[in-house]
């Protein structure tokens, strides 16, 4: 099933980069938050999508950036975005982070970044992904999660409530996860 999302039909630039409006909008705020964490070393990005975040964040953060995606069709855009950056962006690798055992296969990372995925996958898949994060992080490593969340079962804005309802109408198994549930999964 293909979900109808606000960014469906993103523009593809002449060099193969996909321009996803939501990724472009949230890159600055995410970068600012990450800069405040003092990250160093190697970062694993789960579900890199277009690759825009790697290109816009790896350099300013000074990280070795490993993009991943479950869809190899996204690799051309990830590589095209990486070519626009002088940063240490590694070639993309295929990763389905909803499969148990993925962390053991990829080794440990100083940081793991996950942007706008948890609301697009079922709770059971999200639990697997979140449960693997601890094994994917080096001692003292940082898990960085960005996306829309419920707070005590409620959306934080009318727009979020509408988007969550739209997702659930398309597939009852997906939708916003409650922040307390997400943080509880990280501690398991």
């Amino acid at each position: 099933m293909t979900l109808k999302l606000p960014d469906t039909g993103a523009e593809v630039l002449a060099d193969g980069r996909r321009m996803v409006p939501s990724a472009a909008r949230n890159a600055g705020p995410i970068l600012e938050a990450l800069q405040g964490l003092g990250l160093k070393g190697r970062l694993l990005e789960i579900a890199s999508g277009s690759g825009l975040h790697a290109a816009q964040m790896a350099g300013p953060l000074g990280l070795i950036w490993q993009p991943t995606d479950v869809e190899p069709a996204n690799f051309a855009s990830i590589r095209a975005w990486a070519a626009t950056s002088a940063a240490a962006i590694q070639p993309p690798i295929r990763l389905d982070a909803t499969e148990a055992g993925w962390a053991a296969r990829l080794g440990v990372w100083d940081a793991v970044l996950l942007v706008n995925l948890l609301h697009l996958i079922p709770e059971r898949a999200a639990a697997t992904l979140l449960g693997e994060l601890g094994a994917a992080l080096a001692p003292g490593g940082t898990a960085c999660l960005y996306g829309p969340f419920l707070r005590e079962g409620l959306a934080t804005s009318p727009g979020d409530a509408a988007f969550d309802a739209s997702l659930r109408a398309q597939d009852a198994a997906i939708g916003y996860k409650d922040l307390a549930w997400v943080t509880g999964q990280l501690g398991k």
Side-chain angles (χ1 to χ4, degrees):
M1 168 191 227
T2 301
L3 294 173
K4 183 177 179 187
L5 302 173
D7 282 343
T8 300
E11 177 184 6
V12 178
L13 304 176
D15 61 2
R17 291 177 294 153
R18 279 197 353 265
M19 179 54 74
V20 180
S22 63
R25 278 192 309 275
N26 66 30
I30 294 171
L31 175 59
E32 187 177 326
L34 294 176
Q35 286 172 320
L37 298 176
L39 303 174
K40 295 182 182 354
R42 299 177 341 127
L43 179 140
L44 177 72
E45 181 185 19
I46 296 174
S48 299
S50 70
L52 181 144
H53 287 155
Q56 292 192 353
M57 296 182 205
L61 291 170
L63 297 169
I64 298 169
W65 196 285
Q66 178 61 67
T68 72
D69 207 274
V70 70
E71 294 294 336
N74 288 330
F75 290 3
S77 180
I78 294 169
R79 285 190 293 270
W81 273 108
T84 69
S85 173
I89 301 172
Q90 304 303 299
I93 58 174
R94 185 183 183 288
L95 173 64
D96 182 347
T98 67
E99 291 181 355
W102 66 263
R105 290 189 298 275
L106 289 181
V108 295
W109 300 84
D110 300 299
V112 176
L113 175 64
L114 176 67
V115 174
N116 284 335
L117 177 65
L118 294 179
H119 58 293
L120 302 177
I121 61 177
E123 189 173 284
R124 186 174 189 179
T128 299
L129 186 158
L130 295 168
E132 292 278 330
L133 282 180
L137 290 169
T142 305
C144 308
L145 307 177
Y146 174 91
F149 299 100
L150 301 174
R151 307 295 196 290
E152 297 179 8
L154 301 173
T156 59
S157 73
D160 274 348
F163 185 41
D164 182 43
S166 168
L167 291 172
R168 292 176 192 278
Q170 293 176 68
D171 182 343
I174 66 171
Y176 287 23
K177 311 302 184 276
D178 197 273
L179 187 57
W181 179 85
V182 170
T183 57
Q185 297 300 306
L186 293 172
K188 290 184 177 181

